[in-house]
Amino acid sequence: MLNDPMVLTPIADAPQAEPEKRVRDRGATEKAILAAAKALLAQEGFQNFGINAVARGAGCDKQLIYRYYGGLNGLVDAIGADLGTWVKDRIPEDTGGMFLLTYGDLMERLSLLFLQALRDDPLMRRIVAWEVSENTEQVRRLSEARSKALATWLERMRGSLAPPKGVDPVAVNAILIAAIQHIVLSASAGGQCAGLALKTPKDWEKAEAALKRIVRGVYG
Amino acid sequence: MLNDPMVLTPIADAPQAEPEKRVRDRGATEKAILAAAKALLAQEGFQNFGINAVARGAGCDKQLIYRYYGGLNGLVDAIGADLGTWVKDRIPEDTGGMFLLTYGDLMERLSLLFLQALRDDPLMRRIVAWEVSENTEQVRRLSEARSKALATWLERMRGSLAPPKGVDPVAVNAILIAAIQHIVLSASAGGQCAGLALKTPKDWEKAEAALKRIVRGVYG
DNA sequence: CTTGGTTGTCACTCATCGGTGAGTAACAAC
DNA sequence: GTTGTTACTCACCGATGAGTGACAACCAAG
């Protein structure tokens, strides 16, 4: 495939555009593979996520995935490593000019932030869907990385605010997070959830209002 | 059980114990196929759900699936048809001796019933997981059957109780259902959800308490 | 120059998938 | 018996999956 002068070229001055010189650069190739894997997972989902597809997307041979990442498992680990920075990249740290006086203020804001961040990130959505659909080694690693990142973010944002007495914040927050994740997943898959349409901005306003109502109901 | 290849050699007086005489009974075969499909979906999930696997599980040739159900799509339709009776079979209609005076009473009870029913039904869990993971024709049909069954059940149980003013019951209930579904799916897949362990009965008590708290917070 | 390691490509094996066309076993009517 | 229908099995196809071993191109050190 590389330039071969011996090849008979009937057209002497034909543009040599197509050979597409592949540079010998391991670092660049590794990055291309990782990027292709993330893009593929985000766009196609975990159903069609495989060695062949990733190699195709990265424009290289699958052998290189085995060499550089040790196969799909290692590649998934590499994706998981990126996940640690997800919330940091995606969710603003400041309070957006609001004064968060109570735990309810905080959780209302965090819920909406999390909802929005998840809606905006197809890769993360696929990973969440993967988590609830399979229980393999690959998924477990991804899941662990994700939940750890989420937990540290939550802890950091909480600051010194204390939840009200009489509620179990871990359990309640788990349910809230579950609700947000499932709502976003359902919307992404079918445009609705349990009879509630989730397509237009108007639809989402209703969902957000209900979510706020729920958070306020439990946290005041 | 696939036919033993030795069957091809007609030994006249060989012990006929193992051939496992397959009766020529179309109805029985159809039921076997449907049962195998449901069992396979419940146990293995939608990942390994295919014509070959179902035929293997039903102990018949896959050709029969094409003949009797018109392929996988028709088979999925048949599964969906069963789904209509799910809530009727799984969830008690009576109030368990309670007087449901308010909408909050009702929704608290329904939430816990739904949670329990979903925890007890692996097939339904797989279908829910399928719904949020894919958007194919097959899934859409299943999803429609399920959501319709759920909606009619909810409507019937509601009776004449009216939700409190100022809340959007459709949106709020959608979020509650989403939360329940995701909690159960997460637990089933990884034994935890957002840092909340969900393995022991004790764990589930906490989750149920938090769920009740949330329902009461929004509906009073 | 030769040598050896790195980078990338190719050509395979083996398994499984969905799907199909041809053939066989049971049975009822004549 | 013969015939025709129904229930069922078998053998194969092309496509695609994961995984592996051998080889070509390149580059730097000796």
Side-chain angles (χ1 to χ4, degrees):
Chain A
M1 275 306 172
L2 295 171
N3 285 354
D4 188 356
M6 297 310 291
V7 141
L8 53 153
T9 61
I11 309 168
D13 50 353
Q16 306 278 46
E18 25 109 334
E20 183 117 11
K21 198 104 158 77
R22 172 159 276 288
V23 277
R24 280 169 62 90
D25 182 347
R26 170 164 179 166
T29 303
E30 285 182 358
K31 286 195 68 170
I33 291 173
L34 186 59
K38 297 205 295 186
L40 181 70
L41 189 53
Q43 287 158 23
E44 304 295 324
F46 57 95
Q47 317 288 335
N48 306 349
F49 185 71
I51 286 278
N52 294 301
V54 172
R56 215 177 298 131
C60 72
D61 197 273
K62 60 181 169 182
Q63 173 72 21
L64 300 183
I65 301 175
Y66 287 104
R67 267 222 266 282
Y68 297 155
Y69 291 97
L72 256 196
N73 285 328
L75 188 51
V76 169
D77 280 346
I79 294 177
D82 278 9
L83 248 53
T85 67
W86 180 72
V87 281
K88 190 151 60 62
D89 298 342
R90 290 235 148 235
I91 302 186
E93 299 252 342
D94 60 38
T95 59
M98 296 170 58
F99 286 103
L100 302 179
L101 296 176
T102 70
Y103 196 81
D105 293 339
L106 173 73
M107 285 312 297
E108 177 183 312
R109 174 153 173 78
L110 292 194
S111 298
L112 296 181
L113 280 176
F114 183 56
L115 176 73
Q116 196 57 50
L118 203 57
R119 283 186 60 197
D120 289 343
D121 191 330
L123 175 60
M124 199 51 93
R125 285 201 307 264
R126 297 295 193 175
I127 291 176
V128 176
W130 204 358
E131 280 179 19
V132 297
S133 301
E134 252 183 355
N135 189 14
T136 63
E137 190 58 32
Q138 295 178 0
V139 171
R140 232 165 299 150
R141 295 176 186 184
L142 270 186
S143 178
E144 192 183 353
R146 194 181 73 86
S147 84
K148 188 182 295 181
L150 189 60
T152 61
W153 173 71
L154 245 162
E155 182 63 24
R156 188 151 34 92
M157 295 291 274
R158 188 176 64 84
S160 58
L161 287 177
K165 302 276 186 191
V167 296
D168 178 356
V170 172
V172 168
N173 289 342
I175 292 179
L176 292 178
I177 290 174
I180 294 168
Q181 289 179 349
H182 199 86
I183 280 276
V184 174
L185 259 55
S186 274
S188 187
Q192 57 105 20
C193 177
L196 176 68
L198 290 169
K199 301 187 193 198
T200 69
K202 199 95 178 167
D203 296 335
W204 281 105
E205 280 174 24
K206 281 165 120 179
E208 288 178 356
L211 182 59
K212 277 199 263 189
R213 189 81 170 67
I214 288 174
V215 172
R216 287 302 186 179
V218 68
Y219 283 134
Chain B
M1 280 307 162
L2 296 170
N3 280 357
D4 191 86
M6 295 305 289
V7 138
L8 295 177
T9 66
I11 306 170
D13 49 355
Q16 303 282 40
E18 27 98 344
E20 188 147 338
K21 199 93 161 76
R22 170 159 279 286
V23 275
R24 278 169 62 89
D25 181 345
R26 171 165 177 163
T29 303
E30 285 182 0
K31 286 193 68 170
I33 291 173
L34 186 60
K38 296 205 294 185
L40 181 71
L41 189 54
Q43 288 158 23
E44 305 294 324
F46 56 96
Q47 316 289 334
N48 306 339
F49 186 72
I51 285 278
N52 294 302
V54 172
R56 217 177 297 133
C60 72
D61 197 89
K62 59 181 169 182
Q63 175 71 19
L64 300 184
I65 301 175
Y66 286 105
R67 259 214 260 294
Y68 298 155
Y69 291 97
L72 256 196
N73 285 327
L75 188 51
V76 170
D77 280 346
I79 294 176
D82 278 9
L83 249 52
T85 68
W86 181 72
V87 280
K88 188 152 60 62
D89 298 341
R90 291 236 149 231
I91 303 186
E93 299 251 344
D94 59 38
T95 59
M98 296 170 56
F99 286 102
L100 301 180
L101 296 177
T102 70
Y103 196 82
D105 293 339
L106 173 74
M107 285 313 297
E108 176 183 312
R109 174 153 174 78
L110 292 195
S111 297
L112 296 180
L113 280 176
F114 183 57
L115 176 74
Q116 196 56 51
L118 203 57
R119 283 185 59 197
D120 289 343
D121 191 331
L123 175 60
M124 198 51 95
R125 285 202 306 265
R126 297 295 192 174
I127 291 175
V128 176
W130 204 358
E131 280 179 18
V132 297
S133 301
E134 253 184 354
N135 189 13
T136 63
E137 189 58 31
Q138 296 177 359
V139 172
R140 230 165 300 148
R141 295 178 185 183
L142 271 185
S143 177
E144 191 182 352
R146 195 180 72 87
S147 84
K148 186 181 295 181
L150 190 60
T152 62
W153 173 71
L154 244 162
E155 183 63 23
R156 187 152 33 93
M157 296 291 274
R158 188 177 66 84
S160 58
L161 286 177
K165 302 277 186 189
V167 295
D168 178 357
V170 173
V172 168
N173 289 343
I175 292 179
L176 292 178
I177 290 174
I180 293 168
Q181 289 179 350
H182 199 86
I183 279 277
V184 174
L185 259 55
S186 276
S188 186
Q192 57 104 21
C193 177
L196 177 68
L198 290 169
K199 301 185 193 203
T200 70
K202 199 95 179 168
D203 296 335
W204 281 104
E205 281 174 24
K206 281 164 118 180
E208 288 179 357
L211 182 60
K212 276 200 263 190
R213 190 81 170 67
I214 288 174
V215 172
R216 288 302 186 178
V218 69
Y219 282 134

